[in-house]
Amino acid sequence: MSSKPSALEPLRVRVRRFQFIVGLGFLSLVLGAMLSVSLVLRLHARVNALPSDFVRIPVAVVLENLWVLGVLPVLGYLAARVIALRTWSSAVGAAVSGGLFVVALNFVRDGMDGLTSDWGVASALRILAFVGGILLTARAIRAGRAAAEQGSTAAQAKAEARKSEYDEFLKAAEAAGARLEQREGGAGTEAPAPASTDAPAPSGEANRDGEGTPPSGDMKTPAA
């Protein structure tokens, strides 16, 4: 007997989806932080050598927010190829979860001063980078879903083509088997012709030759 679906199953599905989105944001933050640190170490001298702060600050903000501008869209695209993700809820949820981790790290490092101070051009650029990352992630998720649908459609068409080929092969095999059965049945119904035999001569013919009755000279006539 098939068990009935539980009433809590939709809630479980939502919890698993929420966990996946949070994990996606955290993973993008970790990978983006590693990428940002490696790039900052290599480009630190060149960034500091830029002539103006109007160029230096945007470059620094981009390097700092690579997790939401580059890593999160890539992970969202790959995840959408496998799982049917909702576009905006997944993008916003993953970005917000990663942003909360960043805020938590800044709070642990600097306390409330790190959250309330230093509001200027850099902070505005960080907000713009965060919003841009959400837009890029939503677009990547949409592209991943479209690619997944195209792949499933192509796989279905290929499966149908293989099925039609198999059906044609099966029909040809059945037709060949039917012809073979007809040939075997026709050969079985044809009986061989009976062989001719010489029948013995009837007794009348023997009498004509004189072998069945004695000669006429030996016959006795009754006396008068």
Side-chain angles (χ1 to χ4, degrees):
M1 295 178 65
S2 60
S3 60
K4 295 182 179 180
S6 176
L8 298 177
E9 188 63 26
L11 181 60
R12 293 175 182 175
V13 172
R14 292 181 181 180
V15 170
R16 287 194 293 266
R17 184 177 297 174
F18 175 76
Q19 292 175 350
F20 179 79
I21 292 174
V22 173
L24 186 65
F26 180 75
L27 181 61
S28 63
L29 178 62
V30 172
L31 296 178
M34 296 171 59
L35 182 61
S36 297
V37 169
S38 62
L39 289 177
V40 166
L41 291 177
R42 294 182 180 182
L43 302 176
H44 180 70
R46 297 182 180 179
V47 172
N48 290 333
L50 292 174
S52 175
D53 291 339
F54 292 101
V55 180
R56 189 184 306 112
I57 293 177
V59 172
V61 170
V62 170
L63 292 176
E64 182 181 352
N65 293 275
L66 278 178
W67 70 271
V68 71
L69 291 174
V71 179
L72 185 58
V74 173
L75 293 181
Y77 176 82
L78 296 177
R81 293 291 302 269
V82 181
I83 304 173
L85 296 177
R86 296 179 180 177
T87 305
W88 290 106
S89 61
S90 300
V92 174
V96 169
S97 62
L100 289 177
F101 279 112
V102 173
V103 172
L105 291 176
N106 292 333
F107 177 77
V108 171
R109 184 185 60 186
D110 300 328
M112 290 298 298
D113 295 337
L115 301 178
T116 57
S117 62
D118 195 14
W119 285 92
V121 178
S123 299
L125 291 177
R126 291 189 186 97
I127 295 175
L128 291 177
F130 186 80
V131 175
I134 292 175
L135 297 177
L136 291 175
T137 304
R139 186 174 181 180
I141 291 175
R142 191 180 296 111
R145 291 182 60 182
E149 291 177 357
Q150 291 178 359
S152 62
T153 304
Q156 185 177 1
K158 189 175 181 180
E160 291 179 355
R162 289 183 178 179
K163 183 179 179 181
S164 62
E165 292 178 359
Y166 176 76
D167 292 339
E168 292 178 359
F169 174 77
L170 185 60
K171 290 179 181 179
E174 291 177 354
R179 288 195 297 267
L180 182 61
E181 290 180 357
Q182 290 177 0
R183 291 177 183 177
E184 292 180 354
T189 54
E190 291 179 357
S196 61
T197 57
D198 295 335
S203 59
E205 294 179 358
N207 292 333
R208 294 193 192 109
D209 294 337
E211 295 179 357
T213 58
S216 60
D218 294 338
M219 294 179 64
K220 294 180 179 182
T221 57

